[in-house]
Amino acid sequence: MIKYLSAFIFLLIISLFSVYYGANDFIAYNIRLPRVLSAIAAGAALGIAGFIMQVVLKNDLASPFTLGITHGALFGVSLSVVFGIGSVFLFSFLGAFIVIVFILAVAFLRRLSSQSIILSGIAISALFGAGSMFLQYFADESQLANIVIWSFGDLSKGDFFNIFLLFFMIMLSLIFFLINSWNFNALSLECAKNVGVKTETLIFISMIIVTLLSALVVANYGIIGFVGLVAPHIVRFFENSFKSLLILSALYGAILLVISDYIARNIIYPVEIPVGIVTSFIGAPMFLYLLMRKK
């Protein structure tokens, strides 16, 4: 309980600081508040998604970014923008859904190792990244600008409706995962089938949920890489139970993204850089460290 409370208080402090420091009331409430709330929601969603993927796939390198889910979602967004069809969120989810179905199908049918699944995700990222670039080649200037902004990650586009929707989905996801915490513990100990857990169903539903969370983040804010990878590993330094890791991954994902957004807004003030660039600078060294530690 102390760990949850301390993480929440720290998140509250840095959020209030990010909203009010050096700003008048108009800027604080109309510009910074939606942006910080967006950072909290997106960071929590990515933290949950990354942690669940690591548990389900039994690989510490799994995350929406490393598995190519965010790139699939970006491809869907690019299709919607270039051809002007459907909703951005629907196409974002469809792109991400195609990626995760392919990964799960290959994993179950070919019985790939967890390392091979990550390599598959990297290949899929390259494939859908090439597809997005192909669409950009035929886009006009306005469409191209929108797609490029989405590829960088931008929290300034958040509005209160989308923030509420993302928080609502986070709460539903947390309820589902907490109710099934015993099943996830059995899955981690590789004794799930022996105690009657329907592992395939649990894995499929879990991956659909985290795909939905990732697609919502991409549709609203673009690609924000490595948050889902880094946040669960920060938590693992001082916690090991499923429930604690889940909740703290959400909190530390939010903390990481709020801090990253503050850095993005102020590191070369008055110029703002996309938050996705900052998270990549933080996450890429962590990814390399994990690769070397896992040999």
Side-chain angles (χ1 to χ4, degrees), residues 77-85 135-136 138-140 143-144 147:
V77 169
S78 301
L79 278 175
S80 178
V81 170
V82 171
F83 293 102
I85 53 176
L135 292 173
Q136 291 175 31
F138 294 100
D140 59 34
Q143 294 169 342
L144 180 61
I147 296 173

Side-chain angles (χ1 to χ4, degrees), residues 61-177:
L61 300 178
S63 73
F65 187 75
T66 54
L67 287 179
I69 292 175
T70 52
H71 290 84
L74 178 64
F75 178 74
V77 169
S78 301
L79 278 175
S80 178
V81 170
V82 171
F83 293 102
I85 53 176
S87 70
V88 170
F89 166 67
L90 176 61
F91 274 76
S92 174
F93 176 73
L94 288 176
F97 182 75
I98 291 170
V99 172
I100 202 61
V101 167
F102 176 79
I103 289 175
L104 290 177
V106 171
F108 282 116
L109 294 176
R110 304 299 298 176
R111 299 297 177 183
L112 294 182
S113 66
S114 57
Q115 290 81 6
S116 297
I117 292 174
I118 296 297
L119 293 176
S120 299
I122 293 172
I124 291 171
S125 297
L127 177 63
F128 278 92
S132 297
M133 288 188 287
F134 177 80
L135 292 173
Q136 291 175 31
Y137 185 80
F138 294 100
D140 59 34
E141 292 183 0
S142 175
Q143 294 169 342
L144 180 61
N146 283 333
I147 296 173
V148 170
I149 290 173
W150 254 299
S151 67
F152 284 157
D154 182 12
L155 293 171
S156 65
K157 297 184 296 182
D159 59 57
F160 286 108
F161 175 77
N162 290 327
I163 293 168
F164 172 79
L165 178 62
L166 190 49
F167 273 120
F168 180 71
M169 289 304 304
I170 289 170
M171 293 306 299
L172 290 181
S173 303
L174 285 174
I175 291 171
F176 173 81
F177 293 132

Side-chain angles (χ1 to χ4, degrees), residues 213-227:
L213 289 176
S214 303
L216 272 171
V217 173
V218 174
N220 290 324
Y221 310 112
I223 290 183
I224 302 175
F226 293 109
V227 173

Side-chain angles (χ1 to χ4, degrees), residues 7-25 27-29 32-33 35-37 39-40 254-255 258-259 261-262 265:
F8 179 78
I9 292 174
F10 182 57
L11 174 61
L12 182 62
I13 290 172
I14 61 173
S15 298
L16 291 174
F17 177 82
S18 184
V19 169
Y20 290 106
Y21 180 73
N24 57 38
D25 289 342
I27 293 175
Y29 291 111
R32 290 191 181 178
L33 181 60
R35 185 162 180 161
V36 170
L37 290 175
I40 294 172
I255 289 170
V258 170
I259 293 174
D261 180 60
Y262 181 80
R265 287 191 284 112

Side-chain angles (χ1 to χ4, degrees), residues 203-222:
I203 290 172
F204 183 76
I205 294 175
S206 300
M207 294 302 283
I208 293 300
I209 291 173
V210 297
T211 299
L212 179 60
L213 289 176
S214 303
L216 272 171
V217 173
V218 174
N220 290 324
Y221 310 112

Side-chain angles (χ1 to χ4, degrees), residues 237-254:
F237 281 115
F238 51 85
E239 190 54 70
N240 56 15
S241 70
F242 177 85
K243 288 183 179 180
S244 297
L245 285 170
L246 175 66
I247 297 172
L248 290 174
S249 292
L251 288 171
Y252 276 86

